[in-house]
Amino acid sequence: MGRGKLRIYLGAAPGVGKTYAMLSEAHRRVERGTDCVVGFVEHHSRPRTEVMLHGLELIERRQLEYRGSTFAEMDVDAILARRPAVALVDELAHTNVPGSRNAKRWQDVEELLQAGIDVVSTVNIQHLESLGDVVETITGVRQRETVPDEVARRADQIELVDMSPQALRRRMAHGNVYKPDKVDAALSNYFRPGNLTALRELALLWVADRVDEYLQEYRGEHNIRSTWQARERIVVGLTGGPEGRTLIRRAARLAEKGAGGEVLAVYIAASDGLTSASPKELAVQRTLVEDLGGTFHHVIGDDISDALLEFARGCNATQIVLGVSRRRSWQYAFSPGVSATVARESGPDLDVHIVTHDEAAKGRRLPVTRGARLGRPRVIWGWLTGVAGPALLTVLLNQLVPDLGLANDMLLFLTCTVAAALLGGLLPALASAAFGSLLLNYYFTPPLHKFTISDPKNIVAIAIFVGVAVSVASVVDLAARRTHQAARLRAESEILSFLAGSVLRGEDSLDALLERLRETFAMQSVALLERTSEVDPWTTAASVGTGTVARPEEADVDLPIGENMALALTGRVLPAEDRRVLGAFAAQAAVVLDRQRLVDAAEKSRELAEANRIRTALLAAVSHDLRTPLAGIKASVSSLRSDDVDWSEDDKAELLEGIEDGADRLGALIGNLLDMSRLNTGTVVPLIRETDLDEVVPMALGGVPEDSVELDIPETLPMIAVDRGLLERAVANIVENAVKYSPHGQPVNVSASALGSRVELRVVDRGPGVPDEAKDRIFEPFQRHGDAPRGAGVGLGLAVARGFTEAIGGTLTAEDTPGGGLTMVITLPIAGDGPPVSPELPMSAVT
C-alpha cells in the first residue's frame, strides 16, 4: 500500500474561496466515479459553501467534552475504517481539542496519507509557521494555529486560490464571508487593503518558490541542461577584485527591470587552493549582494569558465554579468580570457553582459611567488646556488680537472640545478639550468670559448641536459612545496584541534584565546570589536597586545564575524592562506564571548532569583515572625490600659515582662534583618584590633539565661585579631540558637582552645542535632531546620553569624556532638605578633 497524495488549496486570507474550490474539486471527482468523502469541512454558515456540501458523503464528527463544553472534531478512526479514495479535510492548521487522537489536524492528515488515502485540504498563508513573524508585523495579529512549512512543501499539488483585495472586500461587504455585525470591524482592521495586498504577495512568492522547486526537480530528473527563461535569474561572476561591487550593482539594476528577478553572485575558487582572492573584499561583496536582496555562492572548480556556466545552468539562470578582464593586452596571447570564453560557450539560452569598470586592463597584482613560501633566506641561497654555483664549478673544473669529460661535467652542473631547486624553488633552478647550459657550451663543448657546437651529438647532450634540469627542478620544487603545504596543514590541524578541544573543555577565557591568536600569527595586537548596529560606533569587547585599534578599517587585518562584530589585528598583512585558520579563531572568539555573556546573565539571574527568594522570605517573616511579638506587646499594653479590670501588682509585672520580652524579640529580629542586609550589600567594614577572647564572649551571653551556658575560656589564650563588635554579635547568635534547641536542664558548653596559629571557640549543645546533608543549608538565610516553631525566629541568626565571622577572617562550621547534638566551631586568627601555641584542648572541651 503506497502513501496517499496531498493536495492543498492555499489562500492569502479567509474568504478567498479555498473551501469552495475544494468542494468543487470533490464534486468533479465524484462525477468521475472517485470514492470521495468529507472528513471535515467548516462552512462557517456561508450559504454558497453550505450548498456545495449537498451530494457529498459526510463522515460523522467525533464529539469531545472539554471544560464543560462539547466540541466536534474530525473522526480519524471513522475515516480509516471507511477507507475512501479521497478525503476532504478543511483547515489544515487547526489545533484539536485536548483528548483528540492528535494535537494538530495536520497530524491527522499525516495518518490518512500513511494509510494510502488521498487528502484534499486548505490553509491560509498566515498559518505557515515560518511566516508567523512577518504576518504579525503586517497585520498586528499573531497566529496561534500554525502548520510546519515542511508539511505544506511535501504536498504533491499546491493550488493558489487568488483574489484581489478589492474583490475580497466587496465579497465581505456583501455578507458572503462574515456576519453583517462583524463586517465593519473586519474591514477596518485585519482586512485593510494594505494588509490584503501584503498577504497576497506573500502567498504568490511562496507558491513561486514551490514552483521553482518543482521545476528544478523536473529538470534534474530529465537531465535538462538548457535554460528555461521562466524567471529572470542573473548570475554575477566575481573574481575577488574591486570591480565586483560594480558588477553586483549592475546586476541588481537588471533584476529590478523584471518582476521577481533574482541575483546570484558566485566566486569560483581553484580546487588546489594555491591562489585565492582577498577574503576581506569577498566579505564586503557578500554583504553588498545580500543587502541588495541577492545570494552569495562559493564554488570550487579547476576551469573557471566551465564552473561558471555549470553553476548558471544548474540554477536555471537567464543572464550572466561579467566584468571586462583586468589582464593586460599581451596576456591575451595565451588565452582569450574568462569573459570571452563564457560568452562563446553560453549558447542562445544565456545572455552574457560584459561590463566595463575602472580596473579594466590595469593588470592583476602579482600573486605571492611559490618560492616566497619557502622563506626569504632559502630563496636567497637558492639564487646564489643557481647562479654562483655554476660559475664556481666552471672555475674549479678548468683549473683542477680540465679533462673530466662532457658527461661528467653535465652531471656536476645538474647537481647545482637540483641544489638550487631544493633551496630556492623553481625560478632559481631554471636560472641555474639556463646559465649552466651556456657555460657548458662555452667552456666544455668544442669549439671551446665559442657559443657554437661543432658536433651534433653535443647539441643533443646539452638539450637533454636542459630538459632534465628543468624536469628535475620542477619535480624537486613541487616536492618542496608539497612538503611545505603538508607542514602548514599539520600546523593548521593542530591549531584547529586546539580550538575544538577548547570548545569541548568549555574554556571561556577570551583574553587567553586572543593571546594565542596573537602568538600564532606573530601580530602586535588583536582586538575583538562589536557594535549594536551599522550606524553605532565600534566598541572593544576584548583586546590583547599593544597598539590596538578602535575600528576595523584601521587594522592591518580585519575579519568580519557576522553583521556587527569583527576581529582586528595589527602588525602585518596576513597572506590569503592564513585566513582559514584566522576564521576559525574568529568564530571561536565569538562563541567564547557569547558563552561569557551567557554565564554572566545566568549569574545575574541567579542573583536575582536569590534576591527574590530573600524578599519572599522577608515578607513571610514580616507577616508572621515580626507580628507575633508585636501582637503580644499590643495585647499586654491594651490590658494594662483597660479600666474594666483591676490588675494586681503581680499581674502588671507579668504583663510588663511580656512587653519587655516581645520588645527584645523584635529588637533581635530587626537587628538580624539589618545585619543580613548589610552583608548582602557589602557594607560590613570590620575594624580589626587585637583583643582577648575572654573579654568578648561573656558580653555575648547577655541575651540568654545565666544557668543555660557553661563558660570555659582560659585566660592563657593568645590575643586574637578581630572586630570585637562583629564577633560578639556572631557568638550571641550562635549561643542563642544553641540554647533554643537544647533540652531543658542541659546547659550549652562554650569553650575555647589554641591550635597552632588559630583559636577555636566551640559552642556545644545536646539538642536533636543536624544531619550531614543539612549542615551547610542551616547557614543560608531564612532557613530553620526541622520542626522549629514559627515563633522561633526568621532563620537569619546562623547566616548572620557566618557572615560576620568570615568578614573578620574566621570560619564557622557545624559538627556533630559526640553523644548527640550539634557543635558550632568558630576559628579565629591569632594576632600577628603572637607566638604559635601548641595544641592543648581544655578538659571541658573533650567529651
Side-chain angles (χ1 to χ4, degrees):
M1 178 182 61
R3 176 183 170 88
K5 295 184 178 181
L6 175 62
R7 179 171 183 170
I8 293 178
Y9 286 92
L10 177 68
V16 295
K18 303 180 302 299
T19 305
Y20 190 93
M22 178 180 67
L23 293 174
S24 299
E25 174 65 19
H27 281 287
R28 286 192 294 270
R29 297 197 181 196
V30 169
E31 291 175 359
R32 294 196 299 265
T34 304
D35 183 13
C36 183
V37 300
V38 176
F40 188 97
V41 169
E42 187 62 67
H43 54 72
H44 297 289
S45 300
R46 297 168 185 167
R48 296 178 180 273
T49 305
E50 194 172 358
V51 169
M52 293 296 295
L53 288 171
H54 296 166
L56 297 176
E57 180 183 349
L58 303 179
I59 300 296
E60 192 71 21
R61 300 183 183 183
R62 182 183 178 187
Q63 304 297 319
L64 295 173
E65 295 288 338
Y66 181 66
R67 294 184 177 179
S69 301
T70 302
F71 298 88
E73 295 288 0
M74 183 174 69
D75 194 338
V76 179
D77 293 326
I79 299 176
L80 292 175
R82 170 66 173 76
R83 294 197 61 79
V86 179
L88 306 184
V89 181
D90 204 5
E91 298 179 354
L92 186 63
H94 172 74
T95 300
N96 294 329
V97 174
S100 301
R101 183 186 183 97
N102 296 299
K104 304 287 290 187
R105 184 165 291 166
W106 64 263
Q107 295 172 325
D108 296 336
V109 169
E110 187 66 24
E111 284 197 38
L112 299 180
L113 295 173
Q114 292 291 344
I117 301 174
D118 293 345
V119 176
V120 182
S121 187
T122 64
V123 70
N124 283 326
I125 192 66
Q126 66 263 30
H127 293 297
L128 294 179
E129 199 168 78
S130 65
L131 300 177
D133 294 338
V134 179
V135 173
E136 183 180 7
T137 302
I138 295 171
T139 64
V141 178
R142 182 67 179 183
Q143 299 295 331
R144 297 182 179 179
E145 294 185 330
T146 59
V147 59
D149 286 46
E150 184 60 27
V151 174
R153 289 184 179 277
R154 285 201 305 263
D156 299 276
Q157 297 181 56
I158 297 178
E159 184 172 334
L160 179 65
V161 182
D162 190 27
M163 177 176 288
S164 68
Q166 295 77 9
L168 179 55
R169 286 172 59 85
R170 284 196 301 269
R171 176 180 289 183
M172 293 188 64
H174 295 159
N176 295 331
V177 180
Y178 290 149
K179 293 181 180 180
D181 57 338
K182 297 181 179 180
V183 170
D184 291 339
L187 289 175
S188 60
N189 290 283
Y190 190 89
F191 290 87
R192 294 195 299 268
N195 290 358
L196 295 178
T197 301
L199 293 174
R200 187 188 187 196
E201 183 179 13
L202 278 179
L204 291 170
L205 291 175
W206 194 90
V207 173
D209 289 339
R210 183 59 178 145
V211 171
D212 282 342
E213 294 177 11
Y214 281 132
L215 183 60
Q216 294 297 338
E217 292 176 5
Y218 181 84
R219 287 166 55 85
E221 291 173 358
H222 293 78
N223 196 26
I224 299 175
R225 308 305 299 166
S226 60
T227 300
W228 289 0
Q229 299 183 1
R231 178 180 180 182
E232 289 294 338
R233 283 189 178 85
I234 304 173
V235 171
V236 184
L238 302 178
T239 64
E243 77 280 359
R245 307 179 196 182
T246 303
L247 303 183
I248 292 171
R249 294 188 180 97
R250 179 60 182 273
R253 291 196 297 271
L254 290 174
E256 290 174 356
K257 294 180 180 179
E262 183 180 357
V263 176
L264 300 90
V266 57
Y267 168 68
I268 311 295
S271 59
D272 58 7
L274 296 179
T275 58
S276 60
S278 167
K280 179 178 179 179
E281 182 63 30
L282 285 179
V284 172
Q285 295 176 13
R286 176 192 291 269
T287 302
L288 176 61
V289 72
E290 290 175 352
D291 290 342
L292 294 175
T295 57
F296 186 91
H297 304 268
H298 196 124
V299 177
I300 304 297
D302 292 325
D303 189 292
I304 296 178
S305 302
D306 290 345
L308 182 60
L309 289 171
E310 185 73 17
F311 175 84
R313 294 189 176 107
C315 65
N316 199 29
T318 58
Q319 302 179 55
I320 297 178
V321 175
L322 297 173
V324 174
S325 178
R326 286 182 290 160
R327 298 192 306 170
R328 299 191 183 277
S329 302
W330 60 268
Q331 292 179 293
Y332 286 100
F334 301 98
S335 66
V338 174
S339 301
T341 303
V342 170
R344 184 182 66 249
E345 299 180 0
S346 61
D349 52 351
L350 267 175
D351 296 335
V352 179
H353 302 265
I354 308 297
V355 180
T356 58
H357 51 82
D358 295 337
E359 301 295 324
K362 290 186 177 180
R364 300 177 182 267
R365 289 181 299 174
L366 289 176
V368 178
T369 61
R370 296 175 176 178
R373 296 174 182 165
L374 300 176
R376 184 178 297 274
R378 287 190 58 178
V379 173
I380 294 174
W381 278 106
W383 280 102
L384 288 175
T385 303
V387 176
L392 182 61
L393 184 60
T394 301
V395 173
L396 293 176
L397 290 177
N398 281 323
Q399 297 297 328
L400 300 179
V401 282
D403 298 327
L404 190 60
L406 182 60
N408 294 326
D409 294 337
M410 287 184 176
L411 290 176
L412 292 174
F413 276 90
L414 183 60
T415 303
C416 289
T417 302
V418 173
L422 287 172
L423 291 173
L426 183 61
L427 292 180
L430 294 178
S432 177
F435 188 42
S437 63
L438 292 177
L439 293 176
L440 282 171
N441 182 11
Y442 191 81
Y443 288 102
F444 303 101
T445 305
L448 300 179
H449 307 297
K450 290 184 180 180
F451 288 105
T452 58
I453 302 174
S454 58
D455 190 350
K457 295 180 180 180
N458 293 334
I459 297 176
V460 175
I462 291 180
I464 293 175
F465 164 77
V466 174
V468 171
V470 171
S471 301
V472 170
S474 300
V475 172
V476 171
D477 174 68
L478 180 62
R481 287 191 292 111
R482 295 305 184 201
T483 302
H484 172 76
Q485 291 173 0
R488 179 180 182 82
L489 291 175
R490 181 171 64 253
E492 289 183 1
S493 65
E494 292 176 356
I495 295 173
L496 296 177
S497 176
F498 160 76
L499 293 176
S502 64
V503 173
L504 296 176
R505 291 189 298 269
E507 296 178 358
D508 55 359
S509 176
L510 184 57
D511 290 341
L513 180 65
L514 295 182
E515 181 62 27
R516 176 66 182 266
L517 171 59
R518 189 183 70 83
E519 293 176 354
T520 299
F521 294 103
M523 303 300 289
Q524 182 180 355
S525 67
V526 178
L528 184 62
L529 307 177
E530 63 176 348
R531 58 184 178 182
T532 55
S533 66
E534 293 183 357
V535 297
D536 292 326
W538 290 94
T539 59
T540 303
S543 63
V544 295
T546 58
T548 57
V549 296
R551 296 186 305 166
E553 296 81 4
E554 301 172 356
D556 295 320
V557 179
D558 71 282
L559 185 67
I561 311 173
E563 295 181 355
N564 297 316
M565 189 177 293
L567 197 64
L569 297 86
T570 61
R572 64 189 180 93
V573 178
L574 293 179
E577 59 263 24
D578 288 338
R579 299 281 180 157
R580 179 172 54 183
V581 177
L582 183 61
F585 269 106
Q588 177 67 1
V591 170
V592 171
L593 180 61
D594 289 341
R595 185 187 298 127
Q596 285 184 351
R597 289 176 174 173
L598 289 174
V599 170
D600 293 341
E603 180 63 22
K604 291 180 181 178
S605 299
R606 188 194 64 78
E607 293 175 356
L608 291 174
E610 180 67 16
N612 185 61
R613 187 185 68 82
I614 292 177
R615 283 194 298 269
T616 303
L618 179 60
L619 290 175
V622 171
S623 64
H624 186 280
D625 296 287
L626 294 180
R627 293 174 62 184
T628 299
L630 186 61
I633 295 172
K634 175 68 174 177
S636 298
V637 172
S638 298
S639 299
L640 288 174
R641 297 186 60 187
S642 176
D643 297 332
D644 299 335
V645 181
D646 186 12
W647 301 100
S648 64
E649 293 298 326
D650 293 339
D651 292 336
K652 290 180 180 179
E654 184 178 352
L655 290 174
L656 290 173
E657 183 180 359
I659 293 173
E660 185 178 9
D661 291 342
D664 291 340
R665 289 176 59 190
L666 276 177
L669 292 174
I670 294 174
N672 281 333
L673 288 172
L674 293 176
D675 290 339
M676 198 68 235
S677 176
R678 291 169 61 200
L679 289 171
N680 286 335
T681 56
T683 57
V684 176
V685 181
L687 181 60
I688 304 298
R689 291 182 178 178
E690 295 184 4
T691 187
D692 288 320
L693 189 61
D694 59 353
E695 296 179 0
V696 178
V697 175
M699 300 294 295
L701 306 181
V704 297
E706 294 182 0
D707 58 350
S708 62
V709 177
E710 291 182 355
L711 190 61
D712 184 7
I713 307 295
E715 296 181 357
T716 58
L717 288 176
M719 301 280 284
I720 56 176
V722 295
D723 184 306
R724 291 190 57 171
L726 297 182
L727 178 59
E728 181 182 332
R729 293 295 305 276
V731 174
N733 283 347
I734 295 171
V735 172
E736 290 175 4
N737 186 77
V739 171
K740 185 189 308 178
Y741 285 97
S742 291
H744 183 69
Q746 293 277 344
V748 173
N749 182 269
V750 179
S751 61
S753 60
L755 298 173
S757 61
R758 67 186 187 277
V759 171
E760 283 190 355
L761 179 68
R762 307 174 74 87
V763 180
V764 183
D765 68 59
R766 296 292 178 177
V770 176
D772 292 339
E773 62 272 11
K775 281 187 172 62
D776 288 332
R777 194 165 58 249
I778 61 176
F779 294 105
E780 296 178 2
F782 303 103
Q783 295 292 325
R784 291 183 295 190
H785 178 66
D787 56 354
R790 287 290 297 173
V794 294
L796 286 176
L798 294 181
V800 171
R802 171 171 275 188
F804 282 171
T805 303
E806 293 177 349
I808 60 178
T811 61
L812 174 60
T813 57
E815 299 177 357
D816 291 329
T817 300
L822 188 67
T823 298
M824 292 291 180
V825 183
I826 302 179
T827 303
L828 302 168
I830 292 177
D833 54 353
V837 182
S838 59
E840 295 180 359
L841 290 175
M843 294 301 296
S844 59
V846 180
T847 55

